[in-house]
């Protein structure tokens, strides 16, 4: 049985890594940094494309069909998307500034928090895009319903499920 590890209080996790993996602190930090980079690679391209798409919308002929309320949703969505892009790319800039300064623990911790905040903002941006598209195609009620469903799905799959997995014992099947 594997028990949940608490990223906010990593002492138990670090002891487990030393005991089960035979890792030194530096090896653990290197592994954590590489794991974080792989996760960021998955979302960076998508969030950059989303932001680029959103930034071009006001220059399209049909943008005028958005009412004042939807323009507000659009602006909030652009804000979330730009902030998500910034936060999901920030670890690269941090790495460049901290390179060869032996600050890997600080880098991993700060990048973890940037990635987490960036993912939350990405979820909000995707929710906003869902509202805008459904509103433009099927009307305001459809936009609100689709946005609520999208937000609920992000909340469940990006927050609730991981928190449940993090705070409960997880049994892995025998292979």
């Amino acid at each position: 049985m594997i028990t949940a590890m608490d990223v906010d209080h990593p002492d138990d996790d670090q002891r487990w890594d030393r005991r089960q993996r035979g890792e030194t602190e530096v090896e653990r930090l290197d592994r954590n940094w590489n794991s974080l980079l792989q996760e960021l690679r998955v979302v960076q391209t998508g969030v950059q494309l989303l932001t680029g798409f959103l930034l071009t919308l006001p220059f399209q002929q049909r943008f005028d069909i958005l009412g004042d309320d939807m323009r507000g949703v659009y602006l909030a969505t652009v804000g979330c998307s730009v902030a998500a892009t910034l936060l999901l790319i920030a670890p690269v800039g941090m790495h460049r500034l901290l390179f060869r300064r032996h600050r890997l623990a600080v880098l991993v911790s700060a990048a973890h928090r940037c990635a987490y905040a960036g993912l939350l903002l990405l979820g909000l941006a995707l929710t906003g895009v869902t509202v805008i598209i459904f509103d433009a195609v099927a009307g305001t009620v459809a936009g609100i319903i689709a946005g609520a469903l999208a937000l609920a799905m992000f909340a469940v799959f990006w927050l609730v499920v991981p928190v449940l997995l993090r705070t409960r014992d997880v049994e892995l099947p025998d292979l």
Side-chain angles (χ1 to χ4, degrees), residues 4-170:
M5 299 299 171
D6 188 348
V7 295
D8 296 323
H9 304 285
D11 294 339
D12 290 339
D13 186 37
Q14 291 166 7
R15 281 192 290 280
W16 185 90
D17 287 335
R18 275 193 297 279
R19 189 176 61 252
Q20 297 296 329
R21 293 185 168 155
E23 284 182 325
T24 66
E25 179 67 10
V26 172
E27 289 170 333
R28 184 186 66 80
L29 288 169
D30 284 339
R31 181 179 48 79
N32 288 174
W33 175 246
N34 286 326
S35 178
L36 182 61
L37 285 179
Q38 291 297 348
E39 293 167 12
L40 291 174
R41 284 185 182 106
V42 170
V43 296
Q44 280 177 343
T45 302
V47 74
Q48 288 170 338
L49 288 171
L50 174 64
T51 301
F53 163 74
L54 287 168
L55 293 175
T56 64
L57 279 183
F59 304 104
Q60 305 301 312
Q61 288 179 336
R62 294 202 59 211
F63 188 76
D64 291 340
I65 68 169
L66 293 181
D68 289 340
D69 290 342
M70 279 302 114
R71 286 176 190 246
V73 171
Y74 167 76
L75 291 173
T77 301
V78 168
C80 287
S81 188
V82 168
T85 301
L86 183 140
L87 286 166
L88 292 169
I89 295 174
V92 174
M94 288 179 199
H95 181 262
R96 280 297 93 207
L97 290 171
L98 297 173
F99 187 67
R100 294 185 178 161
R101 304 247 184 236
H102 309 290
R103 304 285 296 167
L104 191 56
V106 171
L107 176 63
V108 170
S109 179
H112 162 73
R113 283 169 173 70
C114 284
Y116 194 75
L119 286 171
L120 289 175
L121 286 167
L122 176 59
L124 292 175
L126 289 169
T127 299
V129 166
T130 302
V131 170
I132 293 166
I133 290 172
F134 273 79
D135 179 80
V137 173
T140 302
V141 173
I144 292 169
I145 291 170
L149 288 172
L151 185 61
M153 289 177 63
F154 286 120
V156 167
F157 292 109
W158 288 13
L159 296 172
V160 174
V161 169
V163 166
L164 289 174
L165 292 173
R166 176 174 138 169
T167 58
R168 298 184 183 193
D169 288 347
V170 177

